[in-house]
Amino acid sequence: MRKEKRIVVSKDNKTPFHNNVDFCIGTGRMGLALTQEYQEQLKLVQEQIGFRHIRGHGLFCDDMAIYHEYEQDGVRKAEYNYTYLDRVMDFYRSVGLRPFLELGFMPGKLARGTQTIFYWKGNTTPPRDYKLWCEMVQNLLRHLMDRYGADEVVTWPVEVWNEPNLCGFWENADMQEYFRLFHEAFHAVKEVDCRFRVGGPAVCGGTDEVWIRAFMEYCSEKKLAVDFVTRHHYTIEQPVREGHYDYVKLMKPEDGFDNLKTSRDIIDSFEVYKDLPIHITEFNTSYTPKSVIHDTNLNAAFIAHQLSRLGDGNESYSYWTFGDVFEEQGVPFTPFHGGFGLVADGCIPKPTFWTFVFYKKLQESAGTCVYRDDNMVVLRKPDGSYLGVGWNPVEFGAGEEQSITLSLAAGDGVYSLLTETVDEETCNPLKVWHDLGEPANPSDGQTKLLRQAAQPFVQTCRVACAAAEVEITLLLKRNAVVYFELRKCGIQSDRGYDYERAVGGNDGE
Amino acid sequence: MRKEKRIVVSKDNKTPFHNNVDFCIGTGRMGLALTQEYQEQLKLVQEQIGFRHIRGHGLFCDDMAIYHEYEQDGVRKAEYNYTYLDRVMDFYRSVGLRPFLELGFMPGKLARGTQTIFYWKGNTTPPRDYKLWCEMVQNLLRHLMDRYGADEVVTWPVEVWNEPNLCGFWENADMQEYFRLFHEAFHAVKEVDCRFRVGGPAVCGGTDEVWIRAFMEYCSEKKLAVDFVTRHHYTIEQPVREGHYDYVKLMKPEDGFDNLKTSRDIIDSFEVYKDLPIHITEFNTSYTPKSVIHDTNLNAAFIAHQLSRLGDGNESYSYWTFGDVFEEQGVPFTPFHGGFGLVADGCIPKPTFWTFVFYKKLQESAGTCVYRDDNMVVLRKPDGSYLGVGWNPVEFGAGEEQSITLSLAAGDGVYSLLTETVDEETCNPLKVWHDLGEPANPSDGQTKLLRQAAQPFVQTCRVACAAAEVEITLLLKRNAVVYFELRKCGIQSDRGYDYERAVGGNDGE
Amino acid sequence: MRKEKRIVVSKDNKTPFHNNVDFCIGTGRMGLALTQEYQEQLKLVQEQIGFRHIRGHGLFCDDMAIYHEYEQDGVRKAEYNYTYLDRVMDFYRSVGLRPFLELGFMPGKLARGTQTIFYWKGNTTPPRDYKLWCEMVQNLLRHLMDRYGADEVVTWPVEVWNEPNLCGFWENADMQEYFRLFHEAFHAVKEVDCRFRVGGPAVCGGTDEVWIRAFMEYCSEKKLAVDFVTRHHYTIEQPVREGHYDYVKLMKPEDGFDNLKTSRDIIDSFEVYKDLPIHITEFNTSYTPKSVIHDTNLNAAFIAHQLSRLGDGNESYSYWTFGDVFEEQGVPFTPFHGGFGLVADGCIPKPTFWTFVFYKKLQESAGTCVYRDDNMVVLRKPDGSYLGVGWNPVEFGAGEEQSITLSLAAGDGVYSLLTETVDEETCNPLKVWHDLGEPANPSDGQTKLLRQAAQPFVQTCRVACAAAEVEITLLLKRNAVVYFELRKCGIQSDRGYDYERAVGGNDGE
Amino acid sequence: MRKEKRIVVSKDNKTPFHNNVDFCIGTGRMGLALTQEYQEQLKLVQEQIGFRHIRGHGLFCDDMAIYHEYEQDGVRKAEYNYTYLDRVMDFYRSVGLRPFLELGFMPGKLARGTQTIFYWKGNTTPPRDYKLWCEMVQNLLRHLMDRYGADEVVTWPVEVWNEPNLCGFWENADMQEYFRLFHEAFHAVKEVDCRFRVGGPAVCGGTDEVWIRAFMEYCSEKKLAVDFVTRHHYTIEQPVREGHYDYVKLMKPEDGFDNLKTSRDIIDSFEVYKDLPIHITEFNTSYTPKSVIHDTNLNAAFIAHQLSRLGDGNESYSYWTFGDVFEEQGVPFTPFHGGFGLVADGCIPKPTFWTFVFYKKLQESAGTCVYRDDNMVVLRKPDGSYLGVGWNPVEFGAGEEQSITLSLAAGDGVYSLLTETVDEETCNPLKVWHDLGEPANPSDGQTKLLRQAAQPFVQTCRVACAAAEVEITLLLKRNAVVYFELRKCGIQSDRGYDYERAVGGNDGE
C-alpha cells in the first residue's frame, strides 16, 4: 500500500541542519592501509565522496612496527621505525585525507600485560612505563611534523585510546588508569606543540552518566583544557550469532538521538566545557563486522535518517567504516559478509555508500535547509534550485511505499528534475550476489556485474512552474534512498534539432 | 497494450545463425585517429566489445601526409612520410585492432583533378599517373611489413576505394576508370605479397545489377582472382534536413535483406565466384552523420534485428562507425547530434553500443543457436545454460510492449537468470541530455551523469526447473533490447548465512 | 684544453635576477591540442617543469571550427561552435595551464582575403567586418566565462594577433590596419570585463623603432590603457636550407640582449607607459621548425644563458615551443627534425628540456641570487644551502671544457653535493638516434632507449666545510648544462650500518 | 691499474650455455603479496624483466587465513577461506606469473607443536593429523583448478616444504618426518591430478651427502616418481652482525659450483633419477635479509657470473627475492637495509636488477652462445648481430678495471654498438642514498632522485667492419656489469639531414 504525503515549501522556509558528513570516516586498523584492496576501496570512496579525516585503531600495534627496544652496553634503549607509518600517511595524503589520530593500542614491548583484542591481537593493557610511552608519542608527532610540516600536522586531531569503558579494549575497563593515560597524553602532545587539539574518552554509547560525567569532572578538576569530547553511537539491540554471521534488531531512532542528547547535556552542564565540540568518532547501525544488515538497502535508508540528525548536537560523526578490509573478526569468507564498509570487497559500493554520496552533494551545494522531517531533507540554493534526499527504512519509515509530493516555491520557467534512486530493485548488489548463488570467490565477470548493479538509477524529467510553485513527486519504495535536484533550465536546442521528432519513431518528415 | 508470445525450445532445436559481429567496425577518417577523444572512444569500444578489424576512409588523404614530391636536379621525385601512419597503426594495435585497409582517397599531389568530398576535403579523382600511385601503395605495404612483420600485415584485407558508384566519391562515378584502378591495385598489392586478400568495389546498396554485376564480369574477363566482394547497406528512405540535422524514415527490414540477397545471387551466378565472401564494409540505419535516429533506442533495437540476419549471406558487416569523432559534415555542435557512432562525444555509450555488447556475448559463448525469429535469438551452451537477445523496434516489432515467455528444455535444479535491459526508461542518455536542457557543452558533472544514465539495467532472479523446463519471461518495452543469461546455479551459503533473514528487515532472531 | 675559473661567494653577495621561467610556454596551433601525442608531450612537460600559461596560434583558425554562418529568411547569421575549444581548454586546465590568448588568425568565413600561412593554412587577412569579428571575440570570452568562471577567465592575458609586422602573418604587414584591429579588440574585450589585460603588438625582433614606437604612439594618442607590450626574440642569422632542414648561425648573445633593451627603452620613453610589462611571447634560438640546432646540447647551453638574462627588462619570456607536434612546415619525417620543442616526438626530452627543469628548481627554491655571470647563476636559500646552474655553449662559453670552482660561504659541518649533468656524453638522445642509424620510425624499443638516454646524469658526493667555506668544483664540458645543489647534511646511520664497510668489498669483519 | 684482454670470436665458435634466467623468482611470504608496495615492486620487475614463476613461503601460514575449524553438533570440522589466496593469485596472474607452489608452513590449528620461525611467526611443526593436512592441500588445489582451470593449474610445480634440514624450518630437522610429509603430499597431489609435478626436499646447500642422497634413496625405495629435486644455493661464509646489519665474506665461485655439481652427481648416480631436473628454488649471495652486500654493485657483478653458470647442471635457479617487502627479520628501518630484493623499497632498482634485465635480453635474443668465460658471455643471433654481458666483481674479477677487446667475425658494413653500464659510478643508488645522509624515510623528491640514479648508463657509437671483423672494446670498471649489442646498421639520413653539420656547432653554411 502506498502512503502519500504532501509538503509545501514556501519562500521563507528555513530549518537548522548541521551537515558535516565529510568530516571523518572510519577505517580498519592502520596496518591494513598497506594493502592494495584497502587502497582501492579508499580511492573509490575519496573520488566519489571525499572525506577530510580518517580514524581507526592500530597506530601503535605491532604490525606497524613503530616501537622497538635493544640493549647497548647493558642499557635498554628505545628505537623507532617509521617505515610503515610514512607509507600509510603518504597514501592517506595522496587521497586527500588527514588522520584523526587515535593513540592506541599498546606495543607489545611497552605493554604492562598480555591481554589482546581481535583476530589481529591488539594489546589493550596500559604502558609498563608512562615515560617511555610519552616519549614514543612525542617522537612520533615530531617525526610527522618533520615529514609533513608542523602547520599541517597540528591540524590532525588527537584522541586518546578507544572505548576504555569496555574491558576488552582496556584492561579491566579501569577508569582511573585511563584518566592517567589521558592526562599523560594530553601534556605530552601539548608539549610538542600547544596547537594540537586533544580529546577523549572515546567511549561507546550508554555510559554517559558513568564515563562522560566522570571524564569531564576529571578534566575539570585537573584543569585540563580538553579540546573536544568523543563517543560512539550504534543503534541496535544485542545481535544474534549464527555460524559466521550476526543478525540484529534496530533501535528506534529517537532512542539513539536521546542518548546522544544526554552526552551533550552532561558536557554543557560544566560551565567551562559548555559547547565543547563532541565528535562521534564511530557510528553505524550494528557494532559487529559480520552483521548482515550492513550490506542491505535498509541500512542505507536508516543511515540517511541518522545523517539528517547527527549534526544536531555534535560537531562530527564518523561512519565506521569506509571499506570491508577490516579483519577484527578474521578474514571474511565472502564479499557480502556484513562488514562495516561502505564498499564491499571487490570495490563494490553498498547502498549506504550512496547515502553518503547524496549527503555530500547537499553539503557541497552550499544550500540552505528549507525542510527536514523523518523522511526527507530539502535544501534551496542561492540560485533558486532545490536539492534533497528522501529515505524510507521499512520499519521506521512509512511502510512499503511512500509517495512524497513537494510543492516548491519557484520562479517562472521550466525546470529540470534529476533523481537518483537507490532501492531494493534498482541498486541492490546483495540481491544480485545472492541470485548468482552467493559465490564466495566471484569471478572477474561477476565482480564487474556486481559493480554495475550497484549504481543508482538515474531519471530525469522536465517540470513546468505554475503559480510560483513547482510540484514534484518522489516515490520512496521499500528501503529507498532517493536524491533529487531541481533546477531552472530552459532548452536551447541547436539549430534544427527537435527532440520530440527525433524520438518520435520512424519518420522523415 | 502488451502483446504476449510464448516460445518453446526443445532439446533438439537448432537454427543456422552466422554471428560475426566483432569482425570489423567503421571509423571516421584515419587522420582523426591521432586525436585523444577518438582514442578514448575506441578504447571504450574495444574494452567492452572488442572488434578485430577497423575500416575507414582517408589513408592517403593529405592530413596523413604520406605522399610528397620534390625536385632534384630537375627531376621530380616522390618521398613518403609514415610518421602519422605509424602513430595510427601503433595505436590500433595497442587496442587489439587490425586495419581493413581501404585504398583511398587521392593525395593532392598525385590527383588528376581537384574535386573533393566532405568538410575535410578528400580528393576523389583518379591518379594522374597510375605508376606513381601503384608505387605509393606498394611502398606503404612494404613499410608496414617492415614495421609489423610480413606475416601479420598480409592478414589485413585490402579494399580498393570507397563507393565509386557515387560521383561525389569518384569523379563522374566513372566505372571503367574504377575498374582500371582496381586492376592496377590488385596487381600492385599481389606483387608485394601474393598472400594479401584484395577486394572491391565497395559500392553503396541498390546498384547490384549495374555495378556488382559489371564488376564480376570485369574480374571474370580479366581473370582476376578477386578475394572478396564489398558493398554497403543502409536502411532508410531519403532523409529530410532541418538546420544541422537529418530526420529519416526506416525501410522495412525485409526490403534491405532482399537487397543484400540480390548481391549474393549475382555473385553466385558466376561459377568461378560462387560463395565468394561478401564483406558489408559499411552498414547502419541512416547514411548521414547528423541523423538524429542514431542516438535513439529505436536505432539500437532496429540494429539488433539486423545483427541477427546480416550474417546470412555475408561474411561480415561493419557498423559505420564506432564513435562520433567523424567530421565529414564538420564539427558537431553538441554531443548528441545524430553521429554514426556507438559512442557519443564524452565517451557516452549510445543504446546501440549495448546491442553490440550483447551480440559479442553471444559470439563468445560458443553456444548453438536454438531459436531465431524477428524479435529474438536464443543460444544454448554445451553446459546447458542459455543466453539470448530480444528486441522491439517500435514500428517493426510488436508494438509498445511485448512479453515473451521462453520455455527452455533444461535439467533439474535451480537456475539463475540475469537480464540486462536497454530501453527508453532504463538506458537512454539522449533523453537525459534533453531533460538537462540539451547542453551543447556539458560540464564534467553532466557528462558523468550521462555516462551513468547510459548503462543497461541489471536484474537477476532465481528460477526453478519444473518438468524438464525452465520458464522465463522477458518484457520488451518500446524500442527495448534485452539480453539474458540463464544458468543452473545452486546456492552454497556460507556457514550461518541466511539471505532471506538478512534482508527480512529488522529482526535479531 | 680545460679552462679553470674560481668564484668566491661571500656571505653578503646579492645579485638581481628575475627568474620567471615558468610563466608561459609556446605551443603548436591550438587544433593540435586535440591529438594524443601533443597531450602526452605536454603532460610530460607539466609534470617535470610545470608552466602556468600556454600561448600559440590558431584559436580562430578553421580547424577549431568556431565561426560559422548560415542563411535564414534571407539573412546571413553567425553561429559559434565551441566543441573543440572546450575540449582543448578542458585539457589545458587538467594539466594546470591557463591560456595566454592570442586572438588570431581569421576564420575563412570572416576573412577579407584569401592569403594563408603555413602548411595548415591560417588565413592572415583582416576581417571583412570588424563588427562581426568583435562579436565573435566577445561571444567566445563570454562562453569561456560561463564555463570556467569569470574570475578565472579574466586572469588569462589577451594578445592581439601575431607578428603583424611580417606580411606573411598579416596581409601587407599593414600597420594601420593592425592598429585598427588592436583598437577594436581592446574595446571589445574590455567591454566584456574590464579586468581583462590586453596587449600587443606581438612583433618579431628588430622592428623596435618602427613598430614598437609606432604602437606606443598609437596607444598614447588613442589613450588606450594597454596592459602590456609583447614581442618575440630569436637569436640567429638567416638559416640555410638543405632538403628538409635548416642550418643556422647563432648571434652573439649580447647583440640579442641589446635588441631587447631597445624595446624597453622605447616603451619607458613614454611617460604613461614607463615600466609597462613586456612579455616576450616567443623566443628560441632559431625561428624555423626544421632547425637542426634545436635538438642539440648547444641549444640547451645557449638557452641556459638566455634564461639567466631574459628577465632583466621583461616580465616573462615564453619558449617556442613545448613539443614537436607543430606542423607549420608540414609533418616531420623523423623524430629528430629540428623542431622547436623541448620534447621530441615519442616523448623524448631534448637537452633544452632540462635547462628549463633546472631553472624551475631555482625558481621554486625561493633562494636569493648571490652570483651571476655568463656561465653560471648561483642562489642561496634561507637555510644556507646553495643551488645553481652552469653552462658552456661551446662558442660563447669557455671552450671545450671549463672547470669552475665555487668557494661558498657556509657554516661548519658536512655537506651533500648533488649535480645533474646534461652534456654531449651524458644526455644526448640526438647522438644515440644517429648512432642507431637515424631511424625515421623508431621501434618501441628504440624509443624507450632514446628516453633512457635523455636523462641527466646524477652524481652525489660529500664535502666538508673548512674555514667557513665549502669548495666545490663543477666540470662543464662542451655544451654542458650542469645543475647543482649543496646542502648541509649530516649522516645519521641506522644502528649498525657502516657504508664504507658495506661497499668495501668482500669481507665479513 | 687496468688489465687488458683480447677475445677473438670466429665464425665457428659455439659454446654450451643454458640460460633460464626468467624461469622463477623468489618472494617474501605470500601474505605480503596483498600489499601495495609489494605489488608495485613486482610490477616493475615484471615489466622490465618478466619472470614466469614465483616461489615463496607462507601459503598455509595463518595470515593467509586458509584453514579453519569449528564445532558442529559436537564434531570438529574444517572449513577453508580462499579470500586472500584468490586475491594473491589474481594479482600474480595479472602480472604474468604462475606460482611455484611451496606447501608450507603449518596453519596454527593444524600444527602438532608451537615452534615458529621469523618475525611473522610461521609454524614449522608437522601436522597433528596428516589426513587433515592432505585434505587441506587437495581442497586448495581443487579450488584453484575451479577458479583458474585445471589445464592451467597443473602447470604450477609443487614443492614440499622449505629447508627441512634446518631445525628452525622443521622441528628438529626430523628427516623421517619430512619424508612422511613428502610421501603424503606426493600422493595427495597426484590424486587430485596426476599431471601435477611434485618435488623436494628444498634443502639448503652443503647437505648433499646427508639429505639429497637420503631423499633419493627414500623415493627410490618407495618407488616415488618424483618429478624434480630442489635445493638452495648461497655463496657466503658465516655473516657478522652489527646492530641491525650483517656483513659477509663471499665464497670463491668455483666452490659453490662444485657444491652444486655434487647434487647433480648424487642424483645421477640413481639410475632411475638420472637427469632428473634440479630446480635451485633459492639462490643469492648472502642468506640473510639484512646483508648490506645485497644493495651493492659487487652483488650485481657476482650474480652476473652466477647466472652464466647456474644452468650448467640445473633446470632453473630462482633469485631470492624480487623485492624488499619481506619482513622475515622485521620491518626494515631504511630503504637500503641489505634486503634480498632486486628492488629496494620505493621501487628503486638495485644494481643486481639490471644483471637480470641483461640476461633476460640474452635469453630473448634467441642467439647462440659463441663465447663464455669468467668475465663475459657473448651470443650471436641468426642475423649476424652480437650481444653479451661482461662483469667484474672486484675480488673475483680482474681487479679495479678491465678492458676487454672483442674481435667478432662479421660481414662488411657499418655497425651500431650499444652499451649499458652498471657500475659504481654510473648506477649506484646506494651511494647516492649515502651521500644524501642515509635518510631512513626519504622524501618523494629523494626517492625520485634515487630512481633516476639507478638507471644504466647508455652509450652508443658506430663501428666499421674491417677484414671480416668488427672490433669493440668494453671497459669493466670496479664491480661493473656491462651489456652490449652490436648490429649491422647503415644510416639512411632523411633528405638534407647531415648529423655532423648539425652538431658541429655554430654555423649556417
Side-chain angles (χ1 to χ4, degrees), chain B residues 15-221:
Chain B
T15 310
F17 171 44
H18 176 56
N19 181 9
N20 201 9
V21 66
D22 70 352
F23 185 78
C24 193
I25 185 70
T27 171
R29 78 171 195 277
M30 192 173 285
L32 293 171
L34 299 168
T35 67
Q36 167 71 10
E37 176 70 20
Y38 178 106
Q39 295 194 6
E40 290 304 313
Q41 291 181 23
L42 190 50
K43 276 180 206 163
L44 175 66
V45 163
Q46 288 301 95
E47 278 163 20
Q48 298 224 21
I49 305 173
F51 292 96
R52 286 178 283 152
H53 290 88
I54 188 162
R55 173 200 173 270
H57 314 321
L59 170 60
F60 288 120
C61 285
D62 285 348
D63 64 334
M64 287 298 290
I66 289 172
Y67 185 79
H68 300 266
E69 294 184 351
Y70 64 100
E71 203 175 306
Q72 199 173 42
D73 308 329
V75 183
R76 288 200 71 70
K77 297 185 171 178
E79 61 186 354
Y80 306 105
N81 181 328
Y82 298 122
T83 297
Y84 282 176
L85 180 72
D86 289 359
R87 213 173 277 171
V88 172
M89 294 295 147
D90 285 357
F91 170 65
Y92 283 162
R93 288 164 54 86
S94 78
V95 294
L97 282 166
R98 292 170 163 147
F100 192 115
L101 290 169
E102 177 201 310
L103 302 181
F105 299 121
M106 199 55 61
K109 292 240 173 74
L110 201 48
R112 188 184 300 172
T114 57
Q115 168 180 302
T116 64
I117 192 167
F118 299 138
Y119 172 81
W120 44 265
K121 297 191 190 308
N123 184 298
T124 51
T125 69
R128 61 172 164 79
D129 180 333
Y130 274 100
K131 186 164 165 293
L132 290 177
W133 187 79
C134 287
E135 282 170 9
M136 174 182 73
V137 168
Q138 293 187 326
N139 195 290
L140 177 125
L141 293 177
R142 289 188 179 114
H143 168 77
L144 291 172
M145 291 161 89
D146 274 356
R147 187 168 178 88
Y148 303 111
D151 292 348
E152 165 64 23
V153 175
V154 296
T155 69
W156 305 358
V158 180
E159 184 184 39
V160 181
W161 212 258
N162 178 71
E163 299 191 355
N165 65 308
L166 298 178
C167 55
F169 278 106
W170 183 241
E171 206 171 28
N172 307 317
D174 182 336
M175 190 189 278
Q176 292 314 312
E177 189 78 44
Y178 174 75
F179 290 165
R180 175 159 186 209
L181 185 82
F182 183 83
H183 201 146
E184 297 272 359
F186 188 86
H187 287 305
V189 174
K190 296 278 188 183
E191 189 177 284
V192 173
D193 193 313
C194 63
R195 292 173 295 174
F196 275 109
R197 286 162 296 147
V198 185
V203 289
C204 66
T207 64
D208 308 81
E209 282 305 333
V210 186
W211 272 79
I212 300 278
R213 186 176 298 280
F215 179 71
M216 301 322 296
E217 279 166 356
Y218 178 84
C219 291
S220 174
E221 184 187 326

Side-chain angles (χ1 to χ4, degrees), chain C residues 102-175:
Chain C
E102 178 201 309
L103 303 181
F105 300 122
M106 198 56 60
K109 293 239 174 74
L110 201 48
R112 187 184 301 172
T114 57
Q115 169 179 301
T116 64
I117 192 166
F118 298 140
Y119 172 80
W120 43 267
K121 298 193 190 307
N123 184 298
T124 51
T125 69
R128 61 174 164 79
D129 181 332
Y130 274 101
K131 186 162 164 295
L132 289 177
W133 187 78
C134 286
E135 282 170 8
M136 174 183 72
V137 168
Q138 292 188 327
N139 194 290
L140 177 127
L141 294 177
R142 288 189 180 114
H143 168 78
L144 291 172
M145 291 161 90
D146 274 356
R147 188 167 177 86
Y148 302 112
D151 292 347
E152 166 64 23
V153 174
V154 296
T155 69
W156 303 358
V158 180
E159 184 184 39
V160 181
W161 212 257
N162 180 69
E163 299 192 354
N165 65 309
L166 298 179
C167 54
F169 277 107
W170 183 242
E171 205 172 29
N172 306 319
D174 181 335
M175 190 188 279

Side-chain angles (χ1 to χ4, degrees), chain A residues 138-380:
Chain A
Q138 292 188 327
N139 194 291
L140 177 127
L141 293 177
R142 289 189 178 114
H143 168 77
L144 291 171
M145 292 161 88
D146 275 356
R147 187 167 178 87
Y148 302 111
D151 292 348
E152 165 63 24
V153 175
V154 296
T155 69
W156 304 357
V158 180
E159 184 184 38
V160 181
W161 211 257
N162 179 70
E163 299 192 352
N165 65 309
L166 298 179
C167 54
F169 277 107
W170 182 242
E171 205 173 28
N172 307 318
D174 182 336
M175 189 189 279
Q176 292 314 312
E177 189 78 43
Y178 175 75
F179 289 166
R180 175 159 186 210
L181 185 83
F182 184 82
H183 202 145
E184 298 272 359
F186 188 86
H187 287 306
V189 173
K190 295 280 187 181
E191 190 179 281
V192 173
D193 193 312
C194 63
R195 292 174 295 175
F196 274 110
R197 287 163 296 146
V198 184
V203 289
C204 66
T207 64
D208 307 80
E209 281 306 329
V210 185
W211 272 78
I212 300 278
R213 186 175 299 281
F215 179 70
M216 301 322 297
E217 279 165 358
Y218 179 84
C219 291
S220 173
E221 185 188 327
K222 299 290 185 186
K223 300 205 185 317
L224 296 183
V226 58
D227 295 287
F228 54 83
V229 176
T230 61
R231 61 158 288 178
H232 298 164
H233 175 61
Y234 292 92
T235 47
I236 53 156
E237 318 286 346
Q238 179 71 24
V240 176
R241 169 70 52 111
E242 300 287 347
H244 296 133
Y245 300 97
D246 291 322
Y247 296 83
V248 303
K249 182 166 173 51
L250 290 165
M251 288 165 51
K252 282 189 200 147
E254 290 306 328
D255 293 351
F257 298 138
D258 287 350
N259 182 313
L260 291 171
K261 184 69 168 42
T262 308
S263 295
R264 180 74 272 165
D265 291 344
I266 289 170
I267 294 163
D268 289 351
S269 71
F270 290 76
E271 184 61 29
V272 64
Y273 298 127
K274 192 160 159 40
D275 294 332
L276 195 68
I278 301 176
H279 291 286
I280 300 175
T281 48
E282 290 181 20
F283 84 100
N284 202 323
T285 50
S286 171
Y287 47 75
T288 87
K290 296 187 162 181
S291 293
V292 293
I293 193 174
H294 288 140
D295 305 336
T296 66
N297 291 87
L298 169 59
N299 200 75
F302 189 89
I303 292 295
H305 185 204
Q306 294 287 312
L307 290 182
S308 75
R309 296 283 294 278
L310 289 179
D312 284 357
N314 305 291
E315 177 55 26
S316 79
Y317 31 95
S318 177
Y319 190 75
W320 186 254
T321 59
F322 78 85
D324 273 359
V325 177
F326 195 73
E327 282 196 359
E328 286 190 359
Q329 296 194 12
V331 178
F333 282 69
T334 73
F336 289 96
H337 55 270
F340 287 114
L342 296 173
V343 179
D345 290 347
C347 282
I348 303 157
K350 299 183 193 173
T352 309
F353 179 93
W354 302 108
T355 303
F356 279 84
V357 168
F358 297 160
Y359 270 87
K360 181 67 187 275
K361 289 187 185 185
L362 298 188
Q363 193 185 18
E364 284 181 330
S365 73
T368 305
C369 187
V370 292
Y371 183 78
R372 181 169 65 146
D373 70 12
D374 283 352
N375 278 96
M376 167 152 282
V377 57
V378 181
L379 275 65
R380 180 163 49 214

Side-chain angles (χ1 to χ4, degrees), chain C residues 431-449:
Chain C
K431 176 179 188 300
V432 172
W433 175 72
H434 167 72
D435 288 341
L436 293 174
E438 300 183 10
N441 304 86
S443 67
D444 283 356
Q446 287 175 324
T447 299
K448 204 179 140 196
L449 187 72

Side-chain angles (χ1 to χ4, degrees), chain A residues 10-220:
Chain A
S10 79
K11 288 216 152 175
D12 310 318
N13 277 40
K14 222 170 186 179
T15 310
F17 172 43
H18 176 57
N19 181 8
N20 201 10
V21 66
D22 71 351
F23 184 77
C24 194
I25 185 68
T27 170
R29 77 169 196 278
M30 191 172 285
L32 293 171
L34 298 168
T35 67
Q36 167 70 7
E37 176 70 20
Y38 178 106
Q39 296 193 6
E40 289 305 310
Q41 291 182 21
L42 189 51
K43 276 180 207 163
L44 176 66
V45 163
Q46 287 302 95
E47 278 164 20
Q48 299 225 21
I49 306 174
F51 292 96
R52 287 178 281 150
H53 290 88
I54 188 163
R55 173 200 173 270
H57 313 320
L59 171 59
F60 287 120
C61 285
D62 285 347
D63 64 333
M64 288 297 292
I66 289 174
Y67 185 80
H68 300 266
E69 294 184 351
Y70 64 99
E71 203 175 305
Q72 199 172 43
D73 307 328
V75 183
R76 287 200 72 69
K77 297 185 171 179
E79 61 185 355
Y80 306 105
N81 182 327
Y82 298 122
T83 296
Y84 282 176
L85 180 72
D86 289 358
R87 212 173 277 171
V88 171
M89 294 295 147
D90 286 358
F91 169 65
Y92 283 161
R93 289 163 55 87
S94 78
V95 294
L97 282 167
R98 291 171 163 146
F100 192 116
L101 290 170
E102 177 201 310
L103 303 181
F105 299 121
M106 198 56 60
K109 292 241 175 74
L110 200 49
R112 189 184 299 172
T114 56
Q115 170 179 303
T116 65
I117 192 167
F118 299 139
Y119 172 80
W120 44 266
K121 299 193 189 307
N123 183 299
T124 50
T125 69
R128 62 174 163 77
D129 180 333
Y130 273 100
K131 186 161 165 294
L132 290 177
W133 188 78
C134 286
E135 282 170 8
M136 174 183 73
V137 169
Q138 292 188 327
N139 194 291
L140 177 127
L141 293 177
R142 289 189 178 114
H143 168 77
L144 291 171
M145 292 161 88
D146 275 356
R147 187 167 178 87
Y148 302 111
D151 292 348
E152 165 63 24
V153 175
V154 296
T155 69
W156 304 357
V158 180
E159 184 184 38
V160 181
W161 211 257
N162 179 70
E163 299 192 352
N165 65 309
L166 298 179
C167 54
F169 277 107
W170 182 242
E171 205 173 28
N172 307 318
D174 182 336
M175 189 189 279
Q176 292 314 312
E177 189 78 43
Y178 175 75
F179 289 166
R180 175 159 186 210
L181 185 83
F182 184 82
H183 202 145
E184 298 272 359
F186 188 86
H187 287 306
V189 173
K190 295 280 187 181
E191 190 179 281
V192 173
D193 193 312
C194 63
R195 292 174 295 175
F196 274 110
R197 287 163 296 146
V198 184
V203 289
C204 66
T207 64
D208 307 80
E209 281 306 329
V210 185
W211 272 78
I212 300 278
R213 186 175 299 281
F215 179 70
M216 301 322 297
E217 279 165 358
Y218 179 84
C219 291
S220 173

